[in-house]
């Protein structure tokens, strides 16, 4: 099959592959630049991106703002001709500040989920930054598109449809994921493609739909294209690469994970999420939780330090440093058995018999 040419508001990567944004500290400038140099779209995760800053504990917001500019600058130096974007969680208490800083630093595109990014068009107004919402249902897609059009007269430059096999935070109810009563990616993608096509025809625009969640190879990509996708977003496969910014222990946790080691949990955000069932996860969910030693106030309206089973930020910091913690993963992590390169992952996604 000849794969489509992906066009995100004029940005045209050589390969129709977007690398998923993975925080904290899993996809930074190193991985994003490697993906961009290989012809894909490299994405830096903006979630608590300044966690390595010496002043982070004292002032995490300032540290994150500094790191946004620093990581974008590094990625530009490593991939001067590549497409570099960032991913932000719309539920972050400082979402608007972080997006504005990324725009100020010339980010090519922003992909945003973990809630509906209804104010995103306002935050990029007057810039060349493309905007891409993440949705998991036709209902959510309709709400975002109609809201953006009504309030800001703005269309998305693409839409990412994230299915239930994705890693990290998921746009499905916990009980549906646990009981397998949720929509599949194929079902959600077909419905969203149908809606977006009618929306395009009505308004005379073109909005590529990107499939995400559980995609590992060329056969998967072709299947998504047959259902109407213009490209794919892939996260898990890029973790097991030499260029991934995660600690080696994090990568080895992927290689060691069997299918039965994958677990659906309720994150302190309130969202369902998928992670490796490590000793940390078992302590957090099966044996009384882990006391919070320091609250970073990243989501004060959602997460209460006194009642949360653990600090999400600290758990992800520890994982990024290779010190256990919370290791997010996709549903097919058990099929990954070697450390390779970003270029090789893209080749396997876009070339037959690879």
């Amino acid at each position: 099959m000849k794969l489509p040419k992906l066009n995100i508001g004029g940005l045209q990567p050589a390969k129709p592959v977007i690398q998923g944004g993975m925080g904290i500290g899993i996809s930074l400038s190193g991985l994003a630049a490697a993906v961009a140099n290989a012809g894909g779209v490299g994405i830096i995760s903006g979630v608590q991106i300044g966690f390595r800053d010496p002043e982070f504990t004292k002032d995490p917001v300032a540290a994150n703002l500094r790191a946004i500019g620093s990581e974008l600058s590094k990625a530009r130096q490593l991939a001067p001709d590549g497409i570099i974007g960032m991913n932000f969680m719309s539920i972050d208490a400082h979402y608007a500040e972080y997006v504005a800083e990324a725009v100020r630093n010339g980010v090519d595109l922003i992909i945003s989920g973990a809630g509906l990014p209804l104010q995103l068009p306002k935050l990029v107004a007057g810039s060349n930054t493309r905007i891409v919402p993440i949705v998991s249902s036709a209902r959510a897609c309709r709400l975002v598109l109609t809201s953006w059009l009504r309030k800001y007269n703005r269309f998305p430059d693409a839409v990412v449809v994230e299915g239930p096999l994705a890693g990290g935070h998921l746009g499905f109810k916990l009980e549906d994921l646990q009981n397998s009563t949720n929509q599949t990616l194929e079902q959600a993608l077909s419905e969203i493609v149908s809606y977006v096509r009618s929306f395009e025809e009505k308004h005379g625009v073109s909005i590529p739909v990107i499939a995400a969640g559980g995609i590992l190879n060329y056969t998967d990509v072709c299947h998504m294209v047959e259902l109407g996708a213009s490209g794919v977003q892939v996260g898990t496969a890029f973790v097991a690469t030499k260029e991934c910014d995660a600690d080696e222990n994090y990568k080895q946790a992927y290689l060691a994970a069997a299918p039965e080691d994958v677990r659906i949990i309720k994150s302190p955000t309130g969202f369902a999420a998928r992670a490796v069932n490590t000793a940390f996860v078992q302590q957090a969910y099966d044996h009384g939780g882990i006391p919070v030693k320091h609250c970073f106030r990243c989501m004060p309206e959602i997460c209460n330090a006194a009642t949360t089973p653990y600090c999400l930020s600290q758990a992800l910091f520890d994982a990024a440093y290779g010190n256990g913690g919370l290791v997010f993963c996709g549903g097919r992590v058990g099929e990954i058995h070697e450390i390779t390169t970003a270029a090789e992952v893209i080749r396997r996604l876009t070339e037959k018999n690879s």
Side-chain angles (χ1 to χ4, degrees), residues 47-323:
V47 180
Q48 298 287 54
I49 188 174
F51 74 105
R52 290 191 175 98
D53 189 303
E55 298 295 313
F56 181 81
T57 301
K58 180 180 178 181
D59 191 346
V61 175
N64 288 333
L65 291 171
R66 286 192 294 271
I68 287 170
S70 174
E71 289 297 323
L72 281 171
S73 177
K74 291 177 186 176
R76 292 289 187 211
Q77 292 173 14
L78 293 169
D81 299 319
I83 300 172
I84 303 292
M86 291 195 70
N87 179 293
F88 293 100
M89 294 172 58
S90 64
I91 58 173
D92 193 296
H94 299 279
Y95 176 73
E97 296 167 73
Y98 297 153
V99 169
E101 184 66 11
V103 171
R104 191 180 73 79
N105 281 275
V107 70
D108 290 325
L109 73 156
I110 287 174
I111 299 177
S112 189
L116 299 179
L118 298 181
Q119 64 171 323
L120 186 54
K122 176 176 66 174
L123 302 177
V124 304
S127 76
N128 291 322
T129 300
R130 282 69 164 184
I131 50 177
V132 181
I134 299 174
V135 297
S136 294
S137 69
R139 179 179 177 276
C141 183
R142 184 180 302 109
L143 179 57
V144 171
L145 268 61
T146 55
S147 174
W148 284 13
L149 183 59
R150 183 179 70 255
K151 292 183 179 180
Y152 307 109
N153 194 33
R154 177 68 190 259
F155 301 102
D157 295 293
V159 172
V160 171
V161 181
E162 189 172 84
L165 291 179
H169 293 103
L170 305 168
F172 298 87
K173 292 181 180 179
L174 181 68
E175 55 269 27
D176 283 338
L177 290 165
Q178 292 173 331
N179 298 322
S180 298
T181 54
N182 51 270
Q183 274 193 318
T184 64
L185 172 58
E186 289 86 351
Q187 291 168 334
L189 178 62
S190 295
E191 291 183 7
I192 290 171
V193 165
S194 178
Y195 171 72
V196 169
R197 295 297 170 258
S198 64
F199 186 90
E200 289 176 321
E201 185 175 349
K202 180 178 180 180
H203 298 287
V205 295
S206 177
I207 304 171
V209 177
I210 314 298
I215 297 168
L216 287 181
N217 55 48
Y218 177 77
T219 300
D220 298 332
V221 174
C222 290
H223 183 43
M224 295 301 125
V225 170
E226 288 170 351
L227 293 174
S230 298
V232 296
Q233 177 177 284
V234 176
T236 295
F238 283 111
V239 172
T241 62
K242 295 176 182 177
E243 301 94 343
C244 178
D245 299 279
D247 184 88
E248 185 65 23
N249 286 341
Y250 194 104
K251 300 176 188 182
Q252 290 301 319
Y254 270 42
L255 300 190
E260 60 269 23
D261 294 324
V262 177
R263 181 168 175 176
I264 298 295
I265 60 174
K266 183 178 181 180
S267 160
T269 63
F271 287 98
R274 177 175 281 105
V276 178
N277 190 30
T278 59
F280 173 90
V281 169
Q282 293 170 43
Q283 177 63 41
Y285 290 94
D286 303 331
H287 303 296
I290 299 167
V292 176
K293 295 180 180 179
H294 176 82
C295 179
F296 298 95
R297 295 192 59 77
C298 47
M299 299 174 293
E301 296 181 0
I302 298 172
C303 179
N304 185 327
T307 58
T308 183
Y310 58 93
C311 172
L312 178 61
S313 287
Q314 188 62 56
L316 294 173
F317 298 156
D318 289 343
Y321 281 124
N323 299 326

